[in-house]
Amino acid sequence: MSSPDLSKIQSFLGDSRWQVQVLEEVTSTNTLLKELGRQGAPVGTVLVADRQTGGRGRLGRTFPSPGGVGVYLSALIRPDCAPTELMHLTCAVAVAMCDAVEAAFGFRPGIKWTNDLVVGTKKLGGILTKLGLDPKTGRVSYAGLGIGINCGQLPGDFDESIRDMATSVRMVLGKEADRERLIAEMVLALEGMELHSPARMLERYKADCI
């Protein structure tokens, strides 16, 4: 299978001002985005990789990232605030990703606290957010929003060690899933994410949380 088609992704994005780059292979989209954030990349810089050779989840766990089947995406935002004002960031991204999956495919995953997307008892995806701080002010210089979602896998595509714990959009739907549509909906959900109303967002998070 080939890498996601950028022109098809853009056809779903409409008037979005965020800039999506599709890469065939990277160590980690989050690692690359971190460097771009330090170099001054603009808000809305989005990296999508067909495969990652060093994908990581929470607590440094390996996040399997084979080519042709998953969505591995990192997006850059620059909220002007103290880091303590973004304690809810991962929760906000999780809700946004539930919105994206629902918009793309018509079913809504749940959230397993704090950063896993699940369907029933099986993991559909994971989220990893990282903050970069301005050393002079201590305020947030940028935030990297990293998401990996299993899209096209069949049961045999997962390693035997995680096969009983993992699922994919394709497995849920019982048919092939459109990666480009999912990527576009993820970008739109992140672009429209409301970070300045944490109480309202946390109510939505609680409703999705299993």
Side-chain angles (χ1 to χ4, degrees):
M1 295 181 69
S2 59
S3 299
D5 184 333
L6 179 58
S7 62
K8 186 177 178 183
I9 295 168
Q10 291 171 332
S11 73
F12 290 123
L13 286 175
D15 296 331
S16 171
R17 301 179 69 177
W18 283 24
Q19 297 298 310
V20 179
Q21 302 174 48
V22 174
L23 307 168
E24 183 174 346
E25 179 178 291
V26 296
T27 303
S28 161
T29 57
N30 258 11
T31 299
L32 181 54
L33 192 79
K34 180 179 179 180
E35 291 305 313
L36 293 177
R38 288 174 173 171
Q39 294 168 16
V43 172
T45 297
V46 179
L47 304 180
V48 177
D50 182 53
R51 67 182 67 87
Q52 298 182 122
T53 58
R56 289 287 180 268
R58 190 164 171 262
L59 304 178
R61 298 187 182 100
T62 298
F63 187 90
S65 310
V69 289
V71 171
Y72 318 114
L73 180 152
S74 292
L76 182 76
I77 60 173
R78 293 188 181 277
D80 181 20
C81 63
T84 52
E85 296 177 55
L86 287 178
M87 300 295 288
H88 62 295
L89 179 60
T90 298
C91 298
V93 175
V95 172
M97 292 305 95
C98 289
D99 290 344
V101 172
E102 186 173 33
F105 302 117
F107 73 91
R108 190 173 187 86
I111 302 168
K112 181 181 177 183
W113 188 88
T114 58
N115 67 327
D116 284 346
L117 302 178
V118 297
V119 177
T121 61
K122 295 190 175 184
K123 182 172 178 176
L124 181 71
I127 295 158
L128 184 65
T129 60
K130 294 285 188 179
L131 301 182
L133 303 183
D134 185 320
K136 295 180 180 179
T137 65
R139 293 174 69 82
V140 176
S141 173
Y142 67 88
L145 317 177
I147 306 104
I149 296 180
N150 301 326
C151 192
Q153 289 94 334
L154 293 171
D157 294 323
F158 293 111
D159 186 88
E160 189 173 351
S161 63
I162 62 171
R163 194 169 297 163
D164 292 339
M165 301 179 286
T167 191
S168 71
V169 174
R170 184 177 182 181
M171 290 165 63
V172 173
L173 296 178
K175 60 181 181 180
E176 290 191 11
D178 189 332
R179 277 200 297 173
E180 288 85 358
R181 175 68 187 277
L182 176 57
I183 290 165
E185 294 294 351
M186 290 166 69
V187 172
L188 292 171
L190 292 172
E191 187 175 8
M193 187 170 60
E194 176 58 71
L195 290 178
H196 302 297
S197 301
R200 183 172 62 187
M201 188 283 307
L202 287 170
E203 284 302 313
R204 295 193 65 207
Y205 179 82
K206 290 176 184 178
D208 286 324
C209 194
I210 64 167

